[in-house]
Amino acid sequence: MPPRSTRPVTPLDDDDYPAYTMGRAAEMLGTTPAFLRSLGEHRLITPLRSEGGHRRYSRYQLRIAARARELVDDGTPIEAACRIITLEDQLQETQRINEQLRIQGGEP
């Protein structure tokens, strides 16, 4: 997954800004609102809620949902797809931390 922005200029530049409704998010991903709800049920993504209680998704969440859709489209059960993505994210974070520690320690 691409790195998340650290200093947004406006809310729309912020990867975590909940800019997309469920319907728009599903349309952009070529999937159904039910698929997005199932990702929430499996705790892969947790959309924010508008004042009216409607789900709102960020670009970062849409990238995660798109990865889940790829895996499911390739035949992976949704539960396994969610676990794979979680593990991929943990691995990426661990690699980032290790790189920072190497730089701080002065190792090549």
Side-chain angles (χ1 to χ4, degrees), residues 32-106:
T32 64
F35 179 77
L36 291 173
R37 280 191 295 275
S38 69
L39 296 180
E41 290 167 7
H42 288 94
R43 297 189 175 129
L44 183 63
I45 56 176
T46 304
L48 292 176
R49 298 283 183 148
S50 69
E51 288 182 22
H54 300 282
R55 291 173 178 89
R56 305 285 295 193
Y57 296 88
S58 68
R59 286 194 309 237
Y60 178 71
Q61 290 172 325
L62 293 184
R63 284 194 298 272
I64 292 171
R67 175 70 176 128
R69 180 166 184 235
E70 285 176 17
L71 291 169
V72 170
D73 286 351
D74 288 342
T76 306
I78 193 163
E79 299 84 9
C82 291
R83 185 69 179 137
I84 288 167
I85 294 165
T86 299
L87 291 170
E88 287 173 343
D89 192 49
Q90 289 172 351
L91 176 60
Q92 183 180 14
E93 179 64 10
T94 300
Q95 290 171 332
R96 185 191 64 76
I97 291 168
N98 283 341
E99 183 60 26
Q100 281 182 334
L101 291 173
R102 268 194 285 277
I103 291 169
Q104 291 172 356

